Amino acid sequence: MGSGKRSLTTAAMALACACACAVLATPGVAYASPTPTPAPTRTPTATPKPVSNKDLEAVREKLEKLYHDAAVATDAYNAAEEKAQKQSAEIVDLAREIVKGQAKLDKLQDRAGAAARAQYRGGGLPPGARLWLSDDPQEFLDGAGRVRQGEHATKGLLGEMTRTQQDLEQYEKDASAQWRKLEANRKAKAEAKKKIKQRISDAEKLESQLEQKEKERLAKLEEEAAHQAQSVWLSSGVLADIKSEASEQGRKAVKYATDQIGKPYEWGAEGPKTFDCSGLTSQAWASAGHPIPRTSQEQWKQLKHVDVTDMRPGDLIIYFDDASHVGMYIGDGAVVHAPRPGRTVTIAGAGSMQILGVVRPDA
C-alpha cells in the first residue's frame, strides 16, 4: 500500500511539471521576468607608469650599442663588397689572358707541326749518306747549315710552347684561387648583411616601444650626451691650436660632403641619394679627384695619420676604438657625417663622439 502511494505521488509530480512547461510555452501567456544579473564592476584602466630618465638612459645606451654593432657589420659588408669587385675584375683579366695564351699556343703548335712535316720531307738520312749522295759538297754544307738553323728554331719553338703552356696553367690556378676568394667574400657579405638587418631591427623594435613623449625625451638625452662630450673636448683647448687651412682638394671634398646634408643614411650606400658614413667621405674625396679606401677601417689603416691639433678641413676624423665610424672635419670644431639608420647627413661637434684619430687623404 505504501509503495503504491509513493508511485501515485511521483506520477502526480511529473504531471504537474509537464503542465507547467506547457503553460510557459503557450503564446500570449504572461509570466514574471527573472531578476536581472547586475553588470560586472569595471576596474579603472591603470595609467602607464612614466619611464624614468634612468630607464631612458639605459635605452639610449642599448640603442647606441645596437647601432654601433650595425656600423661594424656595415664596414665588414663594404669591405667584402670592395674585395669582391676587385676579385671579379681580376678573374675577368685572367680569363682574357687564358684566351690569348690558348690562341698563342695553337699558333705555336701549328708552326711546330709545319716544321716537323718539312723535316720529314727532307728525309731522315744520316749526314754521311747525304754527303755520299751529293754531287756538290758545298751544297751539302749549305744544306747542313740550314738544317742546324732549323733545329735551333724548332728547339726555340718548343721552348716557347712549353713556357706558354706553363703560363696558361698558372693563369688557370690564379683564376681558381680568385674564384674561391670571391665565394668566401660573398659568404662574408651575406653574414654581415644578416647581422646589420638584425641589429637595426632590434633597435627599431626597442624604439617602437616608447611613447611619443618618451621618444622626444630620448632625443633630448642624445643631444645632451653629444653636447657634453663636445664641451669636454673643447675645454681641452684643442680648437685654439687648430689653425691649418684646407688644401684645394680638401675644399672640394668639404663642399661635396656639405652639399649632401639632409640626405638619408643607408648602410652600404655611396650616393647620390643616400649614404653611410664612409660612403659619404669616400665619395667626397673621389669628387675632389683623390680616391680613398671605401671603409672607415681601411681609411684609418691606409691614410696618413695627423695630430688632432694639426687637422684641417677635409681631413677625416675616425671614431671609436674599432674605427667603425668616420666624419669629415669642416672647421670650427665641427664635422659633417652620416650618423646612423633613421638619421640624415648632418653637422655635429667633432668631439661629440669618441675620437680614435685623424687621417689626411691628400697628405
Side-chain angles (χ1 to χ4, degrees), residues 210-259:
L210 300 175
E211 299 292 336
Q212 183 59 37
K213 289 184 178 180
E214 292 166 350
K215 290 179 181 178
E216 292 171 0
R217 286 169 57 203
L218 178 63
K220 191 69 176 175
L221 282 176
E222 290 176 348
E223 290 176 7
E224 289 173 358
H227 178 72
Q228 184 178 0
Q230 175 74 352
S231 298
V232 171
W233 184 67
L234 292 177
S235 67
S236 67
V238 64
L239 198 59
D241 296 327
I242 300 174
K243 299 175 182 178
S244 300
E245 294 183 359
S247 64
E248 183 179 352
Q249 286 184 316
R251 284 192 293 273
K252 290 179 180 178
V254 168
K255 183 180 186 310
Y256 179 94
T258 52
D259 284 347

Side-chain angles (χ1 to χ4, degrees), residues 9-316:
T9 303
T10 302
M13 288 178 64
L15 180 60
C17 288
C19 290
C21 290
V23 170
L24 290 175
T26 304
V29 177
Y31 56 91
S33 300
T35 304
T37 304
T41 304
R42 292 186 178 179
T43 304
T45 304
T47 304
K49 184 180 179 181
V51 179
S52 67
N53 281 349
K54 182 179 179 181
D55 291 336
L56 273 181
E57 179 60 25
V59 170
R60 185 190 71 79
E61 291 176 358
K62 178 66 174 176
L63 286 172
E64 191 174 272
K65 175 70 166 57
L66 288 170
Y67 283 123
H68 173 265
D69 290 349
V72 173
T74 298
D75 235 27
Y77 176 90
N78 291 335
E81 172 69 14
E82 189 174 33
K83 288 179 181 177
Q85 289 176 355
K86 289 181 180 178
Q87 286 155 0
S88 295
E90 288 174 2
I91 289 172
V92 170
D93 289 341
L94 287 167
R96 287 174 180 156
E97 291 299 326
I98 289 171
V99 170
K100 286 163 57 178
Q102 188 61 58
K104 181 180 178 181
L105 184 61
D106 291 342
K107 289 181 180 179
L108 291 172
Q109 287 173 336
D110 288 342
R111 286 172 56 191
R117 289 191 295 273
Q119 187 175 5
Y120 177 79
R121 286 194 299 270
L125 293 174
R130 276 183 280 164
L131 176 59
W132 178 262
L133 294 172
S134 175
D135 295 330
D136 186 349
Q138 185 61 46
E139 181 181 350
F140 165 77
L141 293 174
D142 292 342
R146 286 193 297 273
V147 168
R148 282 195 299 271
Q149 290 175 0
E151 289 174 349
H152 287 313
T154 301
K155 287 180 181 179
L157 184 61
L158 293 174
E160 191 173 0
M161 285 175 61
T162 300
R163 288 190 298 272
T164 302
Q165 184 66 51
Q166 290 171 345
D167 289 343
L168 273 174
E169 291 172 358
Q170 189 60 51
Y171 291 148
E172 289 169 356
K173 288 179 182 178
D174 292 345
S176 296
Q178 290 298 338
W179 185 261
R180 287 192 295 272
K181 290 180 181 178
L182 181 61
E183 287 300 306
N185 274 316
R186 284 174 177 165
K187 291 180 181 178
K189 275 176 57 181
E191 287 298 320
K193 183 176 182 179
K194 181 179 178 181
K195 186 173 183 179
I196 294 165
K197 289 189 172 183
Q198 185 61 54
R199 294 297 182 271
I200 293 175
S201 175
D202 290 344
E204 290 174 343
K205 183 178 180 180
L206 183 59
E207 287 183 291
S208 70
Q209 295 170 358
L210 300 175
E211 299 292 336
Q212 183 59 37
K213 289 184 178 180
E214 292 166 350
K215 290 179 181 178
E216 292 171 0
R217 286 169 57 203
L218 178 63
K220 191 69 176 175
L221 282 176
E222 290 176 348
E223 290 176 7
E224 289 173 358
H227 178 72
Q228 184 178 0
Q230 175 74 352
S231 298
V232 171
W233 184 67
L234 292 177
S235 67
S236 67
V238 64
L239 198 59
D241 296 327
I242 300 174
K243 299 175 182 178
S244 300
E245 294 183 359
S247 64
E248 183 179 352
Q249 286 184 316
R251 284 192 293 273
K252 290 179 180 178
V254 168
K255 183 180 186 310
Y256 179 94
T258 52
D259 284 347
Q260 313 313 313
I261 289 174
K263 293 185 178 180
Y265 176 101
E266 182 183 4
W267 63 268
E270 301 176 78
K273 294 182 179 180
T274 57
F275 294 88
D276 63 19
C277 67
S278 57
L280 177 66
T281 54
S282 61
Q283 286 302 304
W285 272 99
S287 74
H290 193 88
I292 63 173
R294 169 64 177 87
T295 68
S296 58
Q297 291 177 344
E298 288 304 310
Q299 289 168 4
W300 174 243
K301 287 178 184 177
Q302 297 185 34
L303 302 180
K304 182 181 179 181
H305 292 203
V306 297
D307 192 86
V308 173
T309 58
D310 293 329
M311 69 180 175
R312 65 191 187 193
D315 287 348
L316 306 182

